[in-house]
Amino acid sequence: MFRAILLEKTADAFSASLRDLSDDDLAQHAGDGDVVVDVAHSTINYKDGLAIANRSPVVRKWPMVPGIDGAGTVVSSTHASFATGERVVLNGWGVGETHWGCLAGRARLKGDWLVPLPAALSTRQAMAIGTAGYTAMLCVMALEAQGVVPGDGEVLVTGAAGGVGSVAIALLSGLGHRVIASTGRAAEADYLKGLGAADVIDRAALAAPGKPLQKERWAGVVDAVGSHTLANACAQTRYRGAVAACGLAQGMDFPSSVAPFILRGVRLIGVDSVMCPQAERRTAWTRLARDLDLAKLDAMTTGIGLADAITAAPEILAGRVRGRLVVDVAR
Ligand code: NDP
């Protein structure tokens, strides 16, 4: 038996509870997984918050064990690439949405989804990074692929005190970029500067409708917010600068014009972590193990137990979680 969060839904009721489940339950509900993993740590991302709080149609199959991320050790495998005892990390692929997830002591996953955990990282550190941090790395890689290099100019990070934002600031500043953090939480200015932000701006300056072309400022942007914030960020991006868009914390809309793209050659790059191909994922995890300052990662991480995941869900949706939440599934 192992403990897990279980989400159940009927025609008129939804529940999220801590339960004892068995390997038989896993075989019944996640039987297409060919690798069984003892999960040591998981995490709460924004999407986990949506699933656990039943706030948007993240979960497509019921009952569901949530948890889009997990790190742990293989206990049995029929997949050619993974052997018993190997440490692995899982991000996305619909896990916690259509396939039983990692907010559980044990998960049955597909080997094709797994990434070997880099030796430099513990399972706790891997989940302090989680999908939020791995997405931040994909965003940094997207900017690099567009030729944004340290010294080009300021790089804006929106949703700065959240998970994606915190890791993006630590990564970009560590690589030598001058990072400007946009936040609605002025009280977190010292935290953001501690992660490496050179300056902090009020997110209200970006949140309202703005002109299609504004004063050029950003060499690059990592945007976790969407809506008017993304539109304004594009309108303020310098000639041939790049914007990596990964989130929708303000909204899914994108009320922009083509002006920044056709008059300034601004490149808008969409970043998806869920179905990102294996090669790019492995590069991202290798880069995270190399480029992320683990002291900064520790500074942005709060540890919680499995049952706490249920109460953390509305907190992350309300934007009240700072940095990253790691779930110790044995606690
Ligand atoms: P968090 O909740 O940790 O961070 C989101 C941050 O956005 C908040 O901390 C807050 O930052 C800011 N924010 C919240 N509400 C608003 C608002 N109304 N207007 C402007 N800013 C707001 O979430 P994550 O960092 O984990 O995820 C960020 C976004 O990225 C989410 O939308 C998530 O769904 C998306 N995402 C997408 C992925 C992909 O594959 N494309 C993968 C991972 C995440 P502050 O307090 O500093 O203002």
Side-chain angles (χ1 to χ4, degrees):
M1 302 294 283
F2 58 90
R3 294 188 317 154
I5 305 287
L6 193 69
L7 307 180
E8 294 171 286
K9 196 173 197 175
T10 59
D12 47 19
F14 168 84
S15 70
S17 58
L18 188 62
R19 301 280 277 275
D20 286 320
L21 300 178
S22 68
D23 284 346
D24 286 347
D25 293 320
L26 270 188
Q28 186 185 339
H29 292 281
D32 54 344
D34 50 10
V35 182
V36 179
V37 177
D38 269 351
V39 179
H41 292 93
S42 184
T43 174
I44 303 293
N45 295 281
Y46 193 86
K47 190 186 261 181
D48 299 306
L50 290 170
I52 295 169
N54 192 30
R55 279 267 295 276
S56 105
V58 168
V59 176
R60 311 274 175 180
K61 213 176 104 183
W62 306 92
M64 178 58 58
V65 173
I68 67 169
D69 287 332
T73 305
V74 174
V75 286
S76 68
S77 169
T78 55
H79 190 281
S81 303
F82 292 96
T84 304
E86 198 164 342
R87 297 184 325 144
V88 292
V89 60
L90 178 285
N91 304 111
W93 295 112
V95 171
E97 303 180 56
T98 56
H99 184 99
W100 274 21
C102 298
L103 281 164
R106 186 165 276 195
R108 198 171 167 131
L109 304 164
K110 290 192 184 175
D112 289 350
W113 298 336
L114 298 172
V115 171
L117 183 58
L121 297 175
S122 67
T123 54
R124 186 178 194 277
Q125 288 164 335
M127 288 296 97
I129 294 168
T131 282
Y134 140 68
T135 301
M137 188 75 243
L138 292 178
C139 289
V140 171
M141 287 160 55
L143 296 185
E144 290 173 348
Q146 295 304 319
V148 178
V149 294
D152 275 0
E154 293 174 317
V155 177
L156 172 68
V157 174
T158 66
V164 173
S166 293
V167 179
I169 291 167
L171 282 170
L172 287 163
S173 65
L175 291 165
H177 292 276
R178 181 177 161 81
V179 182
I180 309 300
S182 167
T183 184
R185 291 183 264 181
E188 299 298 357
D190 287 345
Y191 161 76
L192 296 167
K193 287 181 177 169
L195 295 181
D199 207 352
V200 177
I201 61 172
D202 185 346
R203 79 184 190 198
L206 293 163
K211 291 185 181 159
L213 281 180
Q214 301 170 34
K215 189 165 185 286
E216 292 179 53
R217 179 162 184 190
W218 316 116
V221 177
V222 173
D223 178 61
V225 169
S227 192
H228 292 295
T229 299
L230 176 58
N232 286 320
C234 291
Q236 295 172 8
T237 296
R238 284 162 45 170
Y239 188 74
R240 289 178 78 87
V243 178
C246 72
L248 44 59
Q250 184 182 8
M252 204 188 246
D253 57 330
F254 179 43
S256 182
S257 81
V258 296
F261 313 112
I262 64 170
L263 299 177
R264 289 184 183 159
V266 168
R267 295 104 199 269
L268 176 58
I269 313 298
V271 172
D272 167 62
S273 65
V274 181
M275 304 306 284
C276 178
Q278 269 289 1
E280 208 171 315
R281 276 174 196 262
R282 289 178 183 226
T283 302
W285 275 101
T286 303
R287 290 281 310 269
L288 283 158
R290 190 189 78 192
D291 294 341
L292 184 58
D293 180 333
L294 294 179
K296 287 182 180 175
L297 180 67
D298 200 41
M300 68 179 83
T301 304
T302 305
I304 61 174
L306 191 55
D308 304 325
I310 297 171
T311 45
E315 291 297 305
I316 195 165
L317 298 182
R320 285 196 288 264
V321 170
R322 185 179 88 174
R324 300 279 302 128
L325 290 176
V326 170
V327 179
D328 178 348
V329 299
R331 200 167 109 195

